[in-house]
């Protein structure tokens, strides 16, 4: 939960990327969000990137006497301890990716550790910039009792000139950087509101 530094609460953000590729554009969005926090462009939050790649495919046979495999329990603990979430959600076939859905499902196993938290979604891709995946993720969030910020929305067409990312998947587009900062500011404010701190 939120830690206190001096008189200010520090919001703990768990950041998840639906792409497993290291140089993915969506992973690049999270890297830049982490950089913004380190540079104090937005204060009062810390971002922990939560790697979903080690998670096994959901199989309730792996749950034994109410316990989860160690890697799943470690993941669930990180989700439980966060104050809010930042999802970078690429679009596969008009929806979220298999790895992200798998991670969501593991953390929703009883007791659901997503519930009553704030969340934001960013995405990069072709066409609509991952927008359809965002809408699907919002639908899933209804059942999970996740509360997504409504604005600003962040959909980025990564293939429309000018270049938005470098060859390693790092965000280089200044207007997109500014919009991502706005998302983090909004997520922080909404999280504090849900916690009754503002």
């Amino acid at each position: 939960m939120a830690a206190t530094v001096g008189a200010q609460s520090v919001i703990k953000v768990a950041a998840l990327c639906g792409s497993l590729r290291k140089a993915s554009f969506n992973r690049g969005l999270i890297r830049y969000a982490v950089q913004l926090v380190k540079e104090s462009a937005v204060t009062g939050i810390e971002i922990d990137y939560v790697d979903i790649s080690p998670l096994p495919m959901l199989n309730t046979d792996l749950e034994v006497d109410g316990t989860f495999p160690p890697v799943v329990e470690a993941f669930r603990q990180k989700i439980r301890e966060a104050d809010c979430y930042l999802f970078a959600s690429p679009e596969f076939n008009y929806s979220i990716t298999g790895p992200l859905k798998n991670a969501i499902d593991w953390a929703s196993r009883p007791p659901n550790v997503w519930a009553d938290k704030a969340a934001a979604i960013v995405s990069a891709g072709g066409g609509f910039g991952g927008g359809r995946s965002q809408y699907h993720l919002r639908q899933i969030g209804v059942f999970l009792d996740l509360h997504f910020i409504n604005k600003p929305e962040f959909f980025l067409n990564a293939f429309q000139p000018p270049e938005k990312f470098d060859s390693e998947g790092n965000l280089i587009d200044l207007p997109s950087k500014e919009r991502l900062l706005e998302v983090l500011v909004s997520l922080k404010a909404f999280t504090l509101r849900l916690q009754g701190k503002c």
Side-chain angles (χ1 to χ4, degrees):
M1 294 301 166
T4 301
V5 177
Q8 184 181 31
S9 292
V10 177
I11 301 300
K12 294 179 65 175
V13 183
L16 296 89
C17 181
S19 175
L20 303 184
R21 190 171 63 88
K22 290 181 180 178
S24 81
F25 296 150
N26 286 275
R27 182 86 70 95
L29 295 177
I30 289 178
R31 279 196 302 274
Y32 187 69
V34 170
Q35 181 181 333
L36 283 171
V37 171
K38 287 182 178 177
E39 293 173 352
S40 298
V42 55
T43 59
I45 69 172
E46 60 182 40
I47 299 177
D48 178 27
Y49 170 66
V50 181
D51 185 7
I52 63 174
S53 64
L55 294 172
M57 290 300 295
L58 181 72
N59 178 353
T60 54
D61 288 343
L62 299 177
E63 299 176 34
V64 180
D65 297 326
T67 64
F68 299 94
V71 67
V72 173
E73 187 52 57
F75 168 72
R76 285 172 55 85
Q77 187 64 24
K78 288 181 179 180
I79 299 305
R80 183 183 295 110
E81 291 174 351
D83 295 298
C84 59
Y85 311 107
L86 175 65
F87 293 95
S89 182
E91 181 180 319
F92 286 14
N93 300 318
Y94 279 23
S95 186
I96 66 174
T97 67
L100 182 56
K101 181 63 165 61
N102 185 57
I104 289 170
D105 289 346
W106 269 123
S108 71
R109 294 291 299 156
N112 171 22
V113 294
W114 298 108
D116 295 322
K117 303 282 184 72
I121 317 170
V122 296
S123 60
F128 193 22
R132 294 181 187 91
S133 74
Q134 291 202 26
Y135 293 146
H136 194 183
L137 183 51
R138 285 178 180 273
Q139 289 179 313
I140 295 168
V142 171
F143 184 79
L144 299 175
D145 290 327
L146 270 174
H147 307 290
F148 286 102
I149 63 169
N150 291 323
K151 294 179 183 177
E153 293 182 308
F154 188 104
F155 313 114
L156 179 59
N157 186 325
F159 304 105
Q160 184 177 3
E163 282 190 309
K164 307 297 192 300
F165 297 87
D166 65 18
S167 61
E168 296 179 347
N170 297 307
L171 185 64
I172 58 174
D173 180 60
L174 182 58
S176 299
K177 289 181 174 182
E178 292 171 348
R179 284 172 47 221
L180 186 52
L181 174 59
E182 291 171 3
V183 169
L184 294 178
V185 170
S186 180
L187 177 59
K188 175 188 171 183
F190 190 42
T191 301
L192 290 171
R193 203 170 117 205
L194 286 179
Q195 293 178 341
K197 296 178 180 177
C198 69

